[in-house]
């Protein structure tokens, strides 16, 4: 809660800056906002995502009913190139069912400030408070095991526009990140300080290049201190008004100090790692704000133990808005991690699909699903395979000019070669939300389907 209070104070400071800016500039400011208050009831037959009991004495899946109060505020102020945005949607959960569980608050807040009017000086600031997986095992973790993450980023410096085609920036970039809760021993704090330089040049209306350099000092409680040097270059090319492409190269060198873990005291000797990343992406615009993208990324990284990791990720995504009132979006991705010396291979891949059908100006049906296959193969060891599926559906109804009703269902399953990781979970929910701003017909807010049906590692889940 300390992090949430700090973000609240930061948001208040950003709001004061915006008010001062609005009074000091003759340009007209544009303000949009929406405040809502909702309530929701959820019923699940497997709160902790447990497997079915395999032996006497093992815990059976826990059946719980959850009552949630959901206040939300979306605010945006823009004036010229300046912007202040605040989006918060917290949830207060109370439980009743097989276990006695204390009520909990689930934060979800983002604040963003861009200040460019006092050129060449500029200021960018961002604050986030959210819940994230406390381990890398995303697919078998319930919300009760997640950790609270508080993140604050500030970037400030000088930016010069040299003619109409060149931009040069020198900046300080600072980040502070806290993790608390979740699994024991997962509390962490990371402070990052960078000096940055950037040159962007547009050679013609069709293509432009950008070169960036960065030197940083990083202090992490659970991993020790290290310095980072990064150099990156990219080329963008516009084939047409609707088709663009980008190629990017990046070199990173990290120099770690010797470090003793705070719990067991085991010392990690000082070491260096070097990474080389190549990536390419092509993006096309479609009718009615639709788009499609294809991308590939390859990272070659030297590990502290002398092993070499090659990470490759290919992805394709698309969103289409049809004239019949429907919207369909999705992604297919594939990622491999090849530890060359040890012979360990990790492969993840899967599709995600999200769709909305606007049945009427006051009624919409949302559908979504994802499937992920994750495998780990080591020499002389049986391959571990996890297959995780998610599906969700919801009916969203606009009641008058302020009320939105929603009812839905989600299903989640994991089939693993390790029986202790396999589970199924069903969840039913219904809720009602009051929006203080007037909702025009056809502007039905998004449902819970995107969050419930998307895999954590997909583009659809991050958008």
């Amino acid at each position: 809660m300390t992090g949430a209070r700090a973000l609240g104070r930061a948001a208040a400071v950003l709001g004061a800056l915006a008010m001062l800016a609005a009074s000091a500039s003759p340009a007209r400011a544009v303000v949009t906002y929406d405040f809502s208050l909702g309530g929701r009831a959820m019923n699940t037959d497997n709160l902790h995502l447990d497997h079915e009991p395999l032996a006497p004495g093992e815990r059976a899946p826990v059946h719980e009913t959850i009552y949630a109060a959901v206040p939300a505020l979306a605010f945006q102020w823009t004036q010229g190139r300046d912007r202040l945005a605040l989006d918060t949607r917290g949830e207060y959960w109370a439980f009743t069912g097989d276990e006695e569980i204390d009520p909990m608050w689930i934060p979800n807040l983002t604040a963003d400030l861009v200040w460019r009017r006092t050129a060449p000086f500029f200021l960018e600031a961002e604050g986030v408070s959210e819940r994230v997986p406390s381990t890398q095992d995303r697919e078998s973790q319930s919300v009760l095991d997640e950790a609270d993450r508080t993140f604050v980023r500030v970037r400030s410096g000088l930016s010069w526009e040299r003619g109409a085609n060149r931009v040069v920036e020198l900046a300080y970039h600072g980040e502070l990140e806290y993790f608390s809760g979740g699994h024991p021993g997962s509390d962490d704090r990371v402070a990052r300080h960078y000096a940055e330089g950037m040159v962007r040049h547009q050679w013609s209306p069709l293509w432009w290049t950008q070169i960036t350099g960065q030197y940083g000092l990083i202090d992490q409680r659970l991993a020790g201190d290290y310095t980072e040097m990064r150099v990156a270059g990219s080329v963008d090319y516009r084939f047409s008004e609707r088709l663009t492409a980008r190629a990017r190269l990046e070199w990173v060198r990290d120099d770690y100090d010797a470090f003793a873990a705070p719990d067991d005291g085991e010392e990690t000797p000082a070491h260096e790692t070097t990474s080389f990343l190549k990536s390419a992406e092509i993006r096309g615009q479609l009718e009615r704000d639709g788009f499609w993208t294809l991308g590939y990324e390859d990272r070659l990284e030297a590990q502290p133990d002398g092993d070499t990791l090659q990470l490759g990720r290919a992805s394709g995504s698309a969103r289409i808005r049809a004239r019949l009132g429907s919207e369909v979006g999705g992604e297919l991705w594939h990622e491999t991690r090849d530890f060359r010396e040890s012979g360990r291979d990790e492969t993840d891949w899967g599709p995600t699909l999200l769709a909305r059908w606007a049945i009427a100006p006051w009624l919409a049906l949302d559908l979504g699903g994802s499937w992920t296959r994750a495998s780990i193969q080591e020499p002389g060891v049986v391959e571990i395979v996890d297959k995780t599926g998610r599906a969700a559906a919801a009916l969203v109804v606009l009641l008058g000019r302020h009320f939105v009703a929603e009812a839905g269902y989600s299903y989640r399953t994991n089939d693993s070669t390790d029986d202790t990781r396999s589970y199924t979970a069903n969840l039913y929910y219904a809720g009602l939300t009051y929006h203080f701003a007037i909702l025009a017909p056809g502007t039905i807010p998004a449902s819970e389907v995107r969050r419930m049906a998307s895999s954590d590692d997909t583009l659809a889940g991050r958008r």
Side-chain angles (χ1 to χ4, degrees):
M1 296 301 292
T2 302
R5 287 196 295 269
L7 282 177
R9 290 193 292 268
V13 173
L14 296 181
L17 287 174
M19 294 178 63
L20 288 174
S23 61
S25 173
R28 182 175 181 180
V30 177
V31 177
T32 60
Y33 71 94
D34 179 30
F35 175 68
S36 65
L37 184 61
R40 189 168 71 248
M42 299 171 281
N43 185 279
T44 177
D45 61 0
N46 196 347
L47 180 66
H48 301 285
L49 303 181
D50 289 325
H51 63 275
E52 293 292 337
L54 302 175
E58 289 188 343
R59 184 175 69 173
V62 172
H63 191 162
E64 286 285 329
T65 300
I66 307 167
Y67 299 98
V70 188
L73 171 65
F75 172 86
Q76 180 166 303
W77 168 88
T78 57
Q79 193 169 28
R81 295 194 299 170
D82 304 327
R83 182 183 75 253
L84 172 66
L86 175 66
D87 192 345
T88 176
R89 184 184 182 275
E91 297 189 21
Y92 179 81
W93 284 15
F95 301 84
T96 177
D98 294 345
E99 290 186 348
E100 292 186 5
I101 304 175
D102 294 333
M104 63 185 299
W105 172 256
I106 301 177
N108 187 355
L109 180 147
T110 60
D112 179 56
L113 171 68
V114 177
W115 185 277
R116 292 275 179 173
R117 70 179 56 200
T118 51
F121 171 79
F122 71 90
L123 171 65
E124 300 171 355
E126 177 187 10
V128 178
S129 178
E130 61 182 352
R131 287 182 70 85
V132 297
S134 57
T135 69
Q136 295 181 350
D137 189 10
R138 293 168 176 254
E139 295 300 341
S140 61
Q141 186 167 211
S142 72
V143 67
L144 299 187
D145 299 322
E146 292 183 342
D148 292 328
R149 172 180 178 259
T150 302
F151 173 79
V152 177
R153 179 186 67 86
V154 175
R155 185 172 180 269
S156 181
L158 300 174
S159 178
W160 297 275
E161 296 184 2
R162 298 307 210 187
N165 300 327
R166 182 178 298 175
V167 177
V168 179
E169 284 189 0
L170 296 175
Y172 162 77
H173 179 175
E175 297 179 358
L176 187 60
E177 193 169 18
Y178 289 95
F179 296 90
S180 60
H183 295 296
S186 63
D187 290 3
D188 198 5
R189 178 195 58 81
V190 187
R192 307 178 184 93
H193 305 276
Y194 299 101
E196 296 180 346
M198 183 274 289
V199 177
R200 183 171 61 247
H201 185 82
Q202 184 167 349
W203 302 91
S204 76
L206 296 180
W207 70 287
W208 58 96
T209 58
Q210 179 172 306
I211 298 175
T212 59
Q214 188 180 72
Y215 181 80
L217 303 175
I218 294 88
D219 175 17
Q220 185 170 358
R221 176 181 175 271
L222 296 182
D225 301 342
Y226 65 96
T227 60
E228 180 177 279
M229 185 178 299
R230 181 187 304 264
V231 179
S234 63
V235 178
D236 292 74
Y237 188 81
R238 183 182 299 276
F239 294 95
S240 67
E241 289 295 324
R242 293 180 174 271
L243 186 63
T244 58
R246 167 176 291 184
R248 188 171 187 269
L249 297 176
E250 182 179 63
W251 175 86
V252 183
R253 181 187 179 96
D254 295 325
D255 186 1
Y256 290 83
D257 297 338
F259 172 71
D263 296 331
D264 54 20
E266 182 178 351
E267 182 170 316
T268 301
H271 61 276
E272 299 175 350
T273 65
T274 302
S275 303
F276 185 66
L277 182 142
K278 299 171 289 183
S279 65
E281 182 185 66
I282 185 168
R283 181 184 180 99
Q285 296 293 327
L286 301 175
E287 297 287 342
R288 298 168 61 83
D289 299 326
F291 70 88
W292 62 267
T293 63
L294 293 174
Y296 181 75
E297 179 179 290
D298 181 88
R299 178 186 295 271
L300 193 66
E301 180 177 326
Q303 298 289 292
D305 57 3
D307 203 347
T308 301
L309 166 65
Q310 183 167 14
L311 185 150
R313 181 181 178 95
S315 64
S317 61
R319 186 182 69 193
I320 301 171
R321 291 182 175 176
R323 298 185 182 278
L324 298 178
S326 62
E327 179 178 339
V328 179
E331 179 183 44
L332 177 64
W333 60 279
H334 183 279
E335 181 173 291
T336 60
R337 293 172 293 276
D338 178 14
F339 296 82
R340 294 179 173 179
E341 277 70 26
S342 65
R344 176 187 174 103
D345 293 325
E346 301 175 359
T347 303
D348 302 335
W349 70 276
T352 298
L353 183 66
L354 298 168
R356 161 164 283 197
W357 179 28
I359 303 172
W362 49 271
L363 179 64
L365 175 65
D366 287 353
L367 301 171
S370 65
W371 185 83
T372 303
R373 185 186 189 276
S375 66
I376 300 175
Q377 179 69 65
E378 296 185 81
V381 180
V382 176
E383 183 181 19
I384 299 175
V385 179
D386 277 6
K387 301 175 183 177
T388 304
R390 304 186 187 196
L395 198 63
V396 189
V397 184
L398 190 63
L399 303 175
R401 304 171 70 185
H402 296 278
F403 283 99
V404 176
E406 180 179 342
Y409 164 77
S410 75
Y411 174 76
R412 186 171 175 179
T413 180
N414 187 71
D415 181 16
S416 175
T417 52
D418 179 0
D419 290 336
T420 62
R421 294 167 54 87
S422 299
Y423 64 83
T424 60
N426 296 275
L427 185 143
Y428 302 85
Y429 72 95
L432 183 67
T433 301
Y434 179 83
H435 292 260
F436 287 79
I438 296 176
L439 298 173
T443 58
I444 304 176
S447 69
E448 294 291 301
V449 164
R450 181 179 296 272
R451 179 178 63 86
M452 291 182 172
S454 299
S455 170
D456 294 317
D457 291 324
T458 65
L459 177 146
R462 295 192 301 267
R463 283 189 177 273

